[in-house]
Amino acid sequence: MAVAKLFRSFPGVGSSDSARYGSVAVITAADANRRLEVLDDFEHAGIGWLWATDADYRLIYISENAAEKLSRPIEELLAQPLTALFETDSSTSGERSDRSLNFQLTARNKIIDQTVRFALNSEQDEGRHTWWSISGHPKFDKSGHFQGYRGSAKDITVEYERKLVDSRLAEFDSLTGLANRHRMDKKLESILSAYKSAKRSCTLIMLDLDRFKHVNDTLGHPAGDDLLCQVARRLERVVGARGEIGRLGGDEFQIILPDLDDRGKLGELANKIIQIVSQPYTIEDKRATIGTSVGIAIAPYDGIDKLDLIHNADLALYAAKNGGRGQFRFYSADLKDEAEERRLLEEGLRDALANELLELHYQPVVRTEDNMVVTFEALMRWEHPERGTIGPDVFVPIAEESDLINQIGAWALNKACQDAMKWPKSVRVAVNVSAAQFAHSDLIEIVTHALESSGLEPNRLELELTESVFMGDGETIDDIFRALKELGVRLALDDFGTGYSSLSYLRSAPFDKIKVDRTFVDSCTQKDQNSAKIIAAIIGLSDALGMETTVEGVEAFDQLEVVKSKGARFIQGWIYSKALPQEMVLHRLKCGDLSIEPDGPERHRPERRSVFRRIGVIHDDHRYDALMRNLSKTGALIDGLLGVPEGTGLVLDLGGGQLVVCTVTRAQDAMIAVEFETPLVSDGAGGLCTRHRVSPYILAAANVPGVPQTKPQFIQVAAVSGHSVMDFQD
């Protein structure tokens, strides 16, 4: 019998039996044969098997039935390292393959019911696995030299597969296959706990779907489920192996990205998620289009425990939704209570509409061949009595989520048509129509009333629409387009190139004009950008379809030359004029001035935002307090330091761990201009931030700003007047 070779290796067999028989130290041959018979019966019964290794952990014995169960000849298994045959299963443990078994063997620990998976599955067995529970103990000779392992095993495949199914149901979403809230919570808590001691970062992204309820309501819940599954697959393609994606329930998703805190890369990822998720879906032979908003919080900067990080990512998501949807936001400490802020703005907007506090200003669209004005675009303005100017990017989303959008939209159409009646008949008026207003059943009636009550000819009214109007039922959308064209109004596709930009829109919708978004113009003069080529391609496409093209956002002469060289015949931008109130428009027209000569800077430079922000300026080991007057991606204007030579290297402390290395490029009195070593990136809210932040752990260790200081080299003074700032900038 093969098992006899190992007879004396197993517990209870051999000379150690003397203890059981008191002074009797000899086992009879009958006893020995009986024990061998029991071991053979144990093996043949299928209850379990026996195995043994040498001192190098190579298999020297395994039960024949075990080899048959594994569909391998014994000769193929013997002399193999035990860790090459069996690996610790990672399906539920999440451990690196074979680490636990390897550790136990190397440490020569006693192994008790260790779950392992057979690692030599053949091609025909692919997808089928065998799991064993193994036990064993190290064997030493009388001199204490290690001889190998002796042990037993049993097949637990059926029980273990059931455990895997139960585990998956407990940790994964049954609809999408993504991790569920329970698993994501555990994973986030585990990562943050481990990373806190290692002082590593972890990003949490929260997102939900915009207009998902509309799909559920119009196409049904099965269609909604199909849509959620398609969204899950798109998120997996975008995120890849960088992190784990979970569905928390409904249309809420979460993404965990370990060791990623570069806000430039995170902003790019967020924009890509928004773009990919917002592309149209095919569901039951129908087209559905949704969007998404994204909130981002990063540990340890925005929280070091799970609840704080989730709360702050939720705040950022709420800010993104209230900022206009289809956007991302990073968490920042100055995020207000968005719900209360939204409520106050909605109340103020109702008052503004009731008390006629909203205004329309008009920006001209100019024909390049003779600089003649052909259209004025109506742009809404709201001057709040306490908050000052509030931009349409803030209040329009609030109006869309309430019942105000149709009232405001109707007011704007009526007002614009009435104002346009005071202009020459050669000049059209363009009015923006939001997606919510477009989908409303009263739109055709509102447009008809605006035309009839003002007496404006329909072909002088141009409705500007964005791609978001295509979200919803295709037949209804086609009916609205058909009714608008029957009225005789013109249609323009606004912001072309920034969203999905499907050519099917241009094929199916009767547009008269395409408007090239200003984001392409902003970078069209940069050599390493393709923006100029994209502008040329859009103009060529528009010409081929018999449509006009207007290029938006032209501010400088170098931009003007580029877009004109690419075939632009209609331009809208500050180089011709900002938006003007009706009184100024009428004044210019009264003078017979329908021609506008371009006027602006020779070269476009990155936009500088006027700010009024207290910051720290660090030079050598001294910190100064100063005032930031304006800010762009590549530089800033700092007020409050005297005696700073050009070429001086500084570090700006923008707060929240944001340190910016920069060089002084100009200095005049207490005002200095600096250029950043690394450009800032978008914070998703129209502002700028650093790519990276200094960890709060490092700041605490360095005790910034309380470092020992030498005698300061510069003089800190009070900020100068606003007039001096303007003179310096000019």
Side-chain angles (χ1 to χ4, degrees):
M1 298 180 190
V3 74
K5 298 177 182 178
L6 297 167
F7 169 62
R8 296 187 179 277
S9 300
F10 290 100
V13 180
S15 59
S16 61
D17 275 6
S18 60
R20 299 180 56 195
Y21 297 98
S23 60
V24 180
V26 178
I27 299 177
T28 65
D31 288 335
N33 289 334
R34 189 177 303 114
R35 288 168 186 251
L36 288 174
E37 185 179 344
V38 169
L39 291 174
D40 280 340
D41 289 344
F42 173 78
E43 288 187 308
H44 291 134
I47 300 171
W49 305 292
L50 303 177
W51 58 273
T53 74
D54 60 16
D56 294 322
Y57 310 109
R58 292 190 297 264
L59 202 66
I60 60 174
Y61 175 81
I62 189 169
S63 300
E64 291 182 6
N65 282 0
E68 292 175 6
K69 189 73 174 178
L70 296 173
S71 303
R72 293 289 187 279
I74 287 183
E75 295 77 14
E76 183 180 333
L77 302 177
L78 294 179
Q80 291 264 23
L82 193 64
T83 53
L85 296 175
F86 300 103
E87 59 187 7
T88 304
D89 182 57
S90 60
S91 300
T92 57
S93 68
E95 298 179 59
R96 183 172 58 85
S97 180
D98 90 350
R99 176 183 176 186
S100 180
L101 180 60
N102 217 15
F103 174 81
Q104 298 278 31
L105 294 173
T106 305
R108 298 177 183 175
N109 292 335
K110 190 173 183 179
I111 301 173
I112 302 175
D113 294 331
Q114 177 79 52
T115 299
V116 294
R117 180 173 55 195
F118 184 57
L120 298 184
N121 288 86
S122 61
E123 291 184 7
Q124 63 264 29
D125 293 334
E126 188 137 1
R128 294 176 53 230
H129 296 287
T130 302
W131 284 275
W132 280 14
S133 174
I134 65 173
S135 299
H137 71 281
K139 178 177 174 57
F140 300 89
D141 62 17
K142 293 180 180 180
S143 301
H145 296 121
F146 177 62
Q147 299 294 299
Y149 267 85
R150 308 292 182 263
S152 61
K154 62 180 179 179
D155 188 342
I156 60 168
T157 301
V158 174
E159 298 94 324
Y160 195 73
E161 285 180 340
R162 188 179 299 118
K163 176 184 175 184
L164 290 179
V165 170
D166 292 343
S167 174
R168 181 157 192 87
L169 289 174
E171 294 202 335
F172 291 88
D173 175 43
S174 58
L175 176 64
T176 63
L178 299 176
N180 61 17
R181 184 186 295 271
H182 172 67
R183 179 179 174 87
M184 294 297 282
D185 279 352
K186 285 202 312 182
K187 187 174 185 69
L188 182 61
E189 193 162 18
S190 173
I191 288 175
L192 293 178
S193 177
Y195 283 19
K196 183 177 180 180
S197 58
K199 297 178 174 56
R200 292 161 64 184
S201 61
C202 178
T203 291
L204 182 67
I205 294 179
M206 304 288 286
L207 60 133
D208 64 12
L209 306 181
D210 301 330
R211 295 172 295 275
F212 173 72
K213 184 177 183 298
H214 177 74
V215 175
N216 251 353
D217 292 345
T218 57
L219 301 181
H221 290 288
D225 289 347
D226 186 3
L227 178 60
L228 289 172
C229 291
Q230 291 190 49
V231 169
R233 303 292 80 80
R234 291 188 185 186
L235 289 175
E236 288 174 332
R237 289 198 297 272
V238 175
V239 176
R242 286 179 287 189
E244 179 151 9
I245 310 165
R247 177 183 173 229
L248 306 185
D251 63 347
E252 294 180 284
F253 295 83
Q254 187 183 78
I255 303 170
I256 299 173
L257 299 167
D259 292 317
L260 180 57
D261 65 354
D262 184 329
R263 289 190 285 185
K265 291 182 179 179
L266 288 170
E268 292 169 3
L269 176 62
N271 276 326
K272 189 172 183 181
I273 288 173
I274 292 167
Q275 181 184 17
I276 296 299
V277 170
S278 300
Q279 293 178 12
Y281 299 79
T282 300
I283 301 175
E284 300 174 354
D285 298 325
K286 294 185 178 180
R287 184 180 64 192
T289 309
I290 59 171
T292 187
S293 302
V294 175
I296 306 171
I298 309 169
Y301 316 99
D302 305 327
I304 57 176
D305 62 43
K306 182 188 72 174
L307 293 179
D308 283 346
L309 203 63
I310 291 175
H311 174 72
N312 291 339
D314 271 332
L315 281 179
L317 172 60
Y318 203 91
K321 293 170 71 71
N322 286 341
R325 299 181 180 271
Q327 301 177 357
F328 73 89
R329 290 288 187 275
F330 290 113
Y331 170 78
S332 66
D334 58 356
L335 277 181
K336 300 176 182 177
D337 184 337
E338 294 291 339
E340 178 65 13
E341 183 75 4
R342 182 190 180 283
R343 185 188 66 80
L344 293 174
L345 285 175
E346 183 178 333
E347 288 180 0
L349 191 55
R350 290 184 187 277
D351 291 340
L353 184 61
N355 298 314
E356 299 183 355
L357 298 178
L358 296 176
E359 295 183 60
L360 289 182
H361 289 195
Y362 299 95
Q363 186 174 30
V365 176
V366 178
R367 187 169 53 217
T368 56
E369 63 175 308
D370 55 8
N371 294 329
M372 294 295 290
V373 175
V374 295
T375 306
F376 281 105
E377 180 183 356
L379 300 171
M380 198 171 297
R381 297 291 184 262
W382 177 20
E383 194 70 23
H384 193 280
E386 297 174 356
R387 299 168 181 256
T389 302
I390 299 178
D393 59 328
V394 174
F395 67 79
V396 169
I398 293 175
E400 287 181 329
E401 292 181 3
S402 65
D403 60 350
L404 290 173
I405 189 60
N406 292 299
Q407 298 176 53
I408 292 176
W411 171 83
L413 275 167
N414 281 290
K415 176 66 173 169
C417 290
Q418 292 168 9
D419 286 348
M421 283 298 293
K422 300 175 183 178
W423 308 340
K425 290 188 176 181
S426 61
V427 180
R428 296 189 291 264
V429 62
V431 182
N432 290 281
V433 176
S434 75
Q437 186 183 2
F438 183 84
H440 200 274
S441 58
D442 292 340
L443 176 65
I444 305 303
E445 182 181 339
I446 290 171
V447 174
T448 302
H449 177 268
L451 292 171
E452 291 178 349
S453 62
S454 65
L456 188 72
E457 297 174 8
N459 65 357
R460 290 185 60 200
L461 174 61
E462 195 170 88
L463 302 181
E464 295 195 359
L465 313 168
T466 62
E467 295 172 13
S468 57
V469 302
F470 293 95
M471 300 172 184
D473 182 67
E475 294 182 6
T476 302
I477 293 169
D478 291 341
D479 290 343
I480 295 173
F481 275 121
R482 191 178 303 111
L484 289 173
K485 292 308 292 183
E486 287 176 357
L487 286 178
V489 301
R490 290 168 54 88
L491 301 176
L493 181 57
D494 200 6
D495 300 336
F496 188 79
T498 59
Y500 184 54
S501 302
S502 171
L503 297 183
S504 64
Y505 297 161
L506 305 181
R507 180 187 63 197
S508 60
F511 288 110
D512 302 283
K513 176 190 288 188
I514 296 175
K515 300 191 74 175
V516 180
D517 190 73
R518 65 170 300 147
T519 54
F520 298 108
V521 177
D522 285 343
S523 55
C524 71
T525 58
Q526 299 177 19
K527 293 182 180 179
D528 59 344
Q529 297 286 333
N530 289 319
S531 297
K533 296 177 183 177
I534 293 173
I535 292 172
I538 295 174
I539 293 173
L541 173 66
S542 185
D543 288 345
L545 295 173
M547 301 177 185
E548 289 182 5
T549 309
T550 294
V551 180
E552 297 182 287
V554 179
E555 298 179 0
F557 277 98
D558 58 343
Q559 294 176 321
L560 180 63
E561 291 305 315
V562 168
V563 299
K564 286 175 67 175
S565 71
K566 301 303 178 184
R569 293 189 293 274
F570 300 95
I571 289 176
Q572 180 178 351
W574 287 3
I575 195 166
Y576 285 107
S577 175
K578 295 184 178 181
L580 305 172
Q582 171 74 344
E583 309 85 71
M584 292 187 66
V585 171
L586 294 177
H587 176 74
R588 298 191 68 155
L589 295 176
K590 185 177 180 180
C591 300
D593 191 4
L594 274 178
S595 175
I596 304 177
E597 293 296 323
D599 182 22
E602 289 296 322
R603 297 172 60 88
H604 172 72
R605 69 173 186 174
E607 179 185 358
R608 287 187 177 270
R609 297 167 171 83
S610 295
V611 295
F612 191 85
R613 181 174 175 181
R614 296 287 178 185
I615 64 168
V617 178
I618 302 170
H619 180 257
D620 289 340
D621 58 2
H622 197 84
R623 176 190 174 91
Y624 306 85
D625 293 324
L627 182 67
M628 181 184 290
R629 291 286 191 175
N630 68 30
L631 178 68
S632 73
K633 288 186 176 181
T634 57
L637 189 64
I638 311 298
D639 187 1
L641 290 181
L642 280 172
V644 185
E646 293 183 8
T648 301
L650 301 173
V651 176
L652 305 185
D653 181 359
L654 305 184
Q658 298 186 96
L659 301 183
V660 185
V661 179
C662 60
T663 303
V664 176
T665 57
R666 286 182 296 159
Q668 178 181 320
D669 298 328
M671 198 80 64
I672 58 173
V674 298
E675 182 177 346
F676 301 150
E677 183 178 284
T678 302
L680 303 183
V681 297
S682 169
D683 66 357
L688 298 168
C689 62
T690 60
R691 278 184 173 271
H692 301 280
R693 286 177 283 179
V694 179
S695 164
Y697 301 120
I698 297 176
L699 287 175
N703 195 26
V704 174
V707 295
Q709 297 178 350
T710 59
K711 183 178 180 180
Q713 298 185 33
F714 313 132
I715 301 173
Q716 180 175 305
V717 298
V720 299
S721 68
H723 294 294
S724 297
V725 174
M726 295 304 297
D727 293 341
F728 183 76
Q729 288 179 284
D730 292 338

